[in-house]
Amino acid sequence: MLRRLAAQKEPRLLVVARAAKEALVHVRSLQAARTAPPPAVKAGARPARTGEPMRTIYDAESAEVLPGRLVRKESEPPTGDPAADEAYDGLGSTHAFYAAAFGRDSIDGAGLPLDATVHFGHLYDNAFWDGKQMVFGDGDGEVFGRFTKSLSVIGHELAHGVTQYTAGLNYRNQAGAINESMSDVFGALVEQYARGQSTEEASWLIGEGLFTDKVQGVALRSMKAPGTAYDDDVLGKDPQPDSMDAYVRTTADNGGVHINSGIPNRAFCLVATAIGGKAWEAPGQIWFDALSGGSLPPACTFSRFAKATIASAKELFGDDSHEHDAVRAAWETVKVKA
Ligand code: ASN
Ligand code: ZN
């Protein structure tokens, strides 16, 4: 998506092209940070009470510096800046989700303090986890608004941290697409949990509300119907496949990590739909156990991942369970051999 925006030549879109180029250059340097071993946390920097979040929000004031000026610490009142306050609330919702759904204390399971920087860069077109903290841009204003607007995006970025601390999946090819899909799955679940939505009520969209009203599209991605989130003159059409029949072989986007993630995304959505109810319960637990159970190699394939989810469904619910059947059927529908 950013590559396409970066190539825009129309005068109205020059600012967008510039913003996209800038974000693209930056994203390349992230991979290294994300695959490096997680940093040690300073002694005494953990929250005072276990199970409580410890959030710190900084403002980069349109520079590309981290962390920036401190604007809000844990338990302090709102700043009045929507970006800072949405980041604070989004980190809180994400922390609450992992605690409630999986009994996990923060991103690393050991109370990791959650830091975020808002107003990163000038018209910066992305949000990311840099291996240590969250970073949010304001968007270019033509295509993207500010990236803190979407709770599924905040949940997505923080899930990159969870993956880093658990399976440590590579950010390339199928392992990278699983890494991306994990972030979409837990990003969607953070939002569904915060809204109290069941599988049937949920939109299964990632990044709803990020586009300006000039864009023909509803979100960055649709987990329920990959490939249908947008179809726009400037952005083009959503390139996600919804089964292995349409798997995209490309060297762009680290081997299509944001493209082929549509396949495992739909598998999760199918599992949730077959099981019904709250998707962070049985379906979320099955996926979380597969991610954190220690059986996934860093270069995991779709097939290996599918096997791991089937094994964790069996372990949690038994061989003859509806859950176990639902997981097997979902991978069959998206044509991943397990
Ligand atoms: N927002 C993007 C993501 O989390 C940034 C990136 O690293 N490509 O996937
Ligand atoms: Zn991601």
Side-chain angles (χ1 to χ4, degrees), residues 34 127 156-157 160 171 179-180 183-184 221 258:
R34 279 198 190 144
H156 172 108
E157 299 309 334
H160 280 306
Y171 202 63
N179 188 323
E180 264 306 305
S183 277
D184 280 352
R221 292 179 286 280
H258 294 89

Coordinates of all heavy atoms in Angstrom, one line a residue, residues 34 127 156-157 160 171 179-180 183-184 221 258, ligand 2:
R34 N 13.0 -5.9 15.4 CA 12.0 -6.8 15.8 C 12.5 -8.2 16.0 O 11.9 -9.0 16.7 CB 10.8 -6.8 14.8 CG 9.9 -5.7 15.0 CD 8.6 -6.1 14.3 NE 7.8 -4.9 14.3 CZ 7.0 -4.7 13.2 NH1 7.0 -5.5 12.2 NH2 6.2 -3.7 13.3
A127 N 2.1 3.3 11.9 CA 2.2 3.1 13.3 C 3.1 1.8 13.4 O 3.0 0.9 12.6 CB 0.9 2.8 14.0
H156 N -2.9 -4.4 17.2 CA -2.0 -5.1 16.2 C -0.5 -4.8 16.5 O 0.3 -5.7 16.5 CB -2.4 -4.6 14.8 CG -1.5 -5.0 13.7 ND1 -1.8 -5.9 12.7 CD2 -0.2 -4.7 13.4 CE1 -0.8 -6.2 11.9 NE2 0.2 -5.4 12.3
E157 N -0.2 -3.6 16.7 CA 1.2 -3.2 16.9 C 1.8 -3.8 18.1 O 2.9 -4.4 18.2 CB 1.4 -1.7 16.9 CG 1.0 -1.0 15.6 CD 1.5 -1.5 14.3 OE1 2.6 -2.1 14.4 OE2 0.9 -1.4 13.3
H160 N 2.8 -7.4 17.9 CA 4.1 -7.7 17.4 C 5.1 -7.9 18.5 O 6.0 -8.7 18.5 CB 4.6 -6.5 16.5 CG 4.1 -6.6 15.1 ND1 4.2 -7.7 14.3 CD2 3.4 -5.7 14.3 CE1 3.6 -7.5 13.1 NE2 3.1 -6.3 13.1
Y171 N 10.1 -12.0 10.1 CA 9.2 -11.1 9.5 C 9.4 -11.1 8.0 O 9.7 -10.1 7.3 CB 9.4 -9.6 10.0 CG 8.3 -8.7 9.8 CD1 7.0 -9.0 10.4 CD2 8.4 -7.6 9.0 CE1 5.9 -8.2 10.2 CE2 7.3 -6.8 8.8 CZ 6.1 -7.1 9.4 OH 5.0 -6.2 9.2
N179 N 3.2 -13.9 11.4 CA 3.5 -12.8 12.3 C 2.4 -11.7 12.1 O 1.8 -11.2 13.1 CB 4.9 -12.3 12.1 CG 5.4 -11.3 13.1 OD1 4.7 -10.5 13.5 ND2 6.7 -11.4 13.4
E180 N 2.2 -11.3 10.9 CA 1.3 -10.2 10.6 C -0.2 -10.7 11.0 O -0.9 -9.9 11.6 CB 1.3 -9.9 9.1 CG 2.1 -8.7 8.8 CD 1.8 -7.5 9.6 OE1 0.6 -7.1 9.6 OE2 2.7 -6.9 10.2
S183 N -0.9 -10.5 14.6 CA -1.1 -9.1 15.1 C -2.6 -8.7 14.7 O -3.2 -8.0 15.4 CB -0.1 -8.2 14.4 OG 1.1 -8.2 15.2
D184 N -3.0 -9.1 13.5 CA -4.4 -8.8 13.2 C -5.4 -9.6 14.1 O -6.4 -9.0 14.5 CB -4.7 -9.2 11.7 CG -4.2 -8.1 10.7 OD1 -3.8 -7.0 11.2 OD2 -4.2 -8.4 9.5
R221 N -7.7 -3.8 6.3 CA -7.8 -5.3 5.9 C -9.2 -5.8 6.5 O -9.7 -5.3 7.5 CB -6.7 -6.1 6.5 CG -5.3 -5.9 6.0 CD -4.2 -6.7 6.6 NE -3.8 -6.2 7.9 CZ -3.0 -5.2 8.2 NH1 -2.5 -4.5 7.2 NH2 -2.7 -4.9 9.4
H258 N 2.0 -8.5 4.5 CA 0.7 -7.9 4.8 C -0.3 -8.4 3.7 O -1.4 -7.9 3.7 CB 0.8 -6.4 4.7 CG 1.6 -5.8 5.8 ND1 3.0 -5.6 5.7 CD2 1.3 -5.4 7.1 CE1 3.4 -5.1 6.8 NE2 2.4 -4.9 7.7
Ligands
ZN2 ZN 2.1 -5.5 11.5

